[in-house]
Amino acid sequence: MKQMQLGSSSLQVSNIALGCMRMNELSIDAAEKVFRTAFEAGVNFFDHADVYGGGDSEDIFARAVGMNDDLREKVILQSKAGIRGNSFDFSKSHILNTVDESLKRLQTDYLDVLLLHRPDALMEPGEVAEAFDSLHASGKVRHFGVSNQHPMQIELLKQHVKQDLITNQLQFGLMHSLMIDQGLNVNMKNDAAVMREGGLLEYSQLNNMTVQAWSPFQYGMMEGVFIGNDKFPEVNKKLSELAGRYQVTESAIAAAWILRHPARIQTIVGTMNPERLAGIAEASEITLTREEWYDLYQSAGNELP
């Protein structure tokens, strides 16, 4: 498993991470098998959020892995705060309380990374800064980032917080490639040319922030998985062709497409199927050619200008 630097931090992380959103659906034994499969494949980064499974996903993860001091130093734990019922809350009190509850569930004294989970329209940047200062000074959180935020929202936060924002977690994949589309269709009068997110890929590279790709195998706004889906014959035909060429699964090729981008995107994989997870992990060692990358992009229904 290839390692990469996470943003401007000193953290060395696997370029494929395990997203633990659905771990609450598993028994302790099944969750342990998923963890061991990931860990043995070289995955050292595990992505959580306080709202995943209503908190149960963090709890089951810690119990399944048998969290202890030795293991804790071998894994990178990331969690998120900010979603509260049917609203968003970046208040100081909510951020601090959320972290405390996540630490209890994860059976650890600290998070390696805390992300703000989706933008809060009522955010007071000064309150966020106070929360980050408190968490950093106490040792409860070592690094910070955001999720689903555009460049101006990040710039606003950076005017107030002292800590580097090292990651931005965003939906991205072959069938959700808006960040690629607008960069290819510059000065064009078509839908693909619309810059909906402010040049996030370029901004992230300029500011040494790692983009973390969530739901990499979904199409639309988490409408379903496109791999093996009869709605998308062309992209699946190309995935199957390349899977045969590289002797891996179609999912591994779809992940390798993300990893091929020079922004050095970390791919968050959410499968709770150990066999599928092991297959996807092989993407870490695959480097698609330019021709293969562009063929996949066009097979997903995109046109080059």
Side-chain angles (χ1 to χ4, degrees):
M1 177 73 63
K2 290 182 180 177
Q3 300 284 298
M4 58 181 284
Q5 181 181 354
L6 195 67
S8 58
S9 77
S10 60
L11 293 175
Q12 291 296 313
V13 302
S14 51
N15 62 357
I16 293 177
L18 181 67
C20 299
M21 183 173 73
R22 296 182 180 89
M23 193 160 276
N24 67 300
E25 300 171 2
L26 305 181
S27 67
I28 298 298
D29 288 345
E32 181 185 9
K33 187 174 182 180
V34 171
F35 170 77
R36 294 300 169 191
T37 299
F39 197 62
E40 290 169 8
V43 173
N44 71 346
F45 193 99
F46 299 89
D47 176 67
H48 295 271
D50 65 314
V51 294
Y52 291 169
D56 289 345
S57 291
E58 291 179 325
D59 177 63
I60 289 173
F61 175 88
R63 290 195 285 150
V65 306
M67 187 62 72
N68 56 58
D69 291 344
D70 180 60
L71 177 63
R72 182 65 188 89
E73 293 306 309
K74 297 175 182 176
V75 298
I76 310 295
L77 296 183
Q78 172 174 280
S79 195
K80 310 180 197 73
I83 296 179
R84 188 175 189 177
N86 63 348
S87 64
F88 306 117
D89 188 348
F90 285 179
S91 66
K92 178 181 177 180
S93 61
H94 182 68
I95 293 171
L96 295 179
N97 290 337
T98 297
V99 170
D100 283 341
E101 292 301 315
S102 287
L103 292 177
K104 290 178 185 177
R105 290 190 292 264
L106 289 167
Q107 299 179 29
T108 183
D109 296 327
Y110 68 95
L111 294 174
D112 294 284
V113 188
L114 173 70
L115 304 186
L116 297 177
H117 204 173
R118 292 206 170 273
D120 174 15
L122 303 180
M123 177 187 72
E124 296 283 356
E127 278 200 57
V128 175
E130 290 177 8
F132 282 12
D133 284 346
S134 176
L135 292 168
H136 194 254
S138 66
K140 292 180 180 179
V141 178
R142 296 185 174 179
H143 303 281
F144 299 86
V146 297
S147 181
N148 307 295
Q149 296 203 16
H150 63 58
M152 293 307 292
Q153 291 169 323
I154 297 169
E155 284 295 311
L156 176 60
L157 269 175
K158 286 168 66 174
Q159 290 292 314
H160 296 264
V161 302
K162 299 173 185 175
Q163 298 79 18
D164 287 346
L165 300 176
I166 65 172
T167 62
N168 190 3
Q169 193 170 119
L170 301 151
Q171 186 178 3
F172 181 68
L174 259 174
M175 298 298 296
H176 192 93
S177 59
L178 301 178
M179 293 189 289
I180 297 291
D181 304 343
Q182 55 87 19
L184 288 172
N185 289 269
V186 175
N187 201 33
M188 301 288 290
K189 196 174 183 179
N190 55 32
D191 287 343
V194 178
M195 188 177 287
R196 294 177 172 85
E197 35 59 49
L200 267 170
L201 277 180
E202 295 81 6
Y203 175 88
S204 299
Q205 289 172 280
L206 286 168
N207 288 274
N208 202 13
M209 292 182 72
T210 294
V211 169
Q212 297 176 326
W214 61 265
S215 290
F217 309 126
Q218 296 272 333
Y219 66 94
M221 181 60 178
M222 296 182 68
E223 294 178 36
V225 175
F226 64 83
I227 298 172
N229 190 325
D230 292 340
K231 291 182 179 179
F232 309 104
E234 293 303 317
V235 71
N236 277 290
K237 179 181 178 181
K238 181 56 64 174
L239 286 169
S240 179
E241 174 191 324
L242 292 173
R245 184 179 303 170
Y246 285 94
Q247 294 297 292
V248 295
T249 66
E250 286 83 356
S251 295
I253 296 298
W257 184 84
I258 296 170
L259 297 175
R260 178 63 175 83
H261 195 277
R264 302 186 73 228
I265 299 167
Q266 186 185 38
T267 304
I268 309 292
V269 177
T271 183
M272 293 289 107
N273 182 314
E275 183 178 356
R276 185 162 184 255
L277 177 59
I280 295 170
E282 295 181 347
S284 179
E285 301 297 330
I286 296 173
T287 302
L288 297 176
T289 67
R290 285 177 176 270
E291 291 77 10
E292 290 166 344
W293 190 91
Y294 276 106
D295 282 349
L296 275 169
Y297 178 72
Q298 292 175 85
S299 75
N302 302 297
E303 296 182 0
L304 297 182

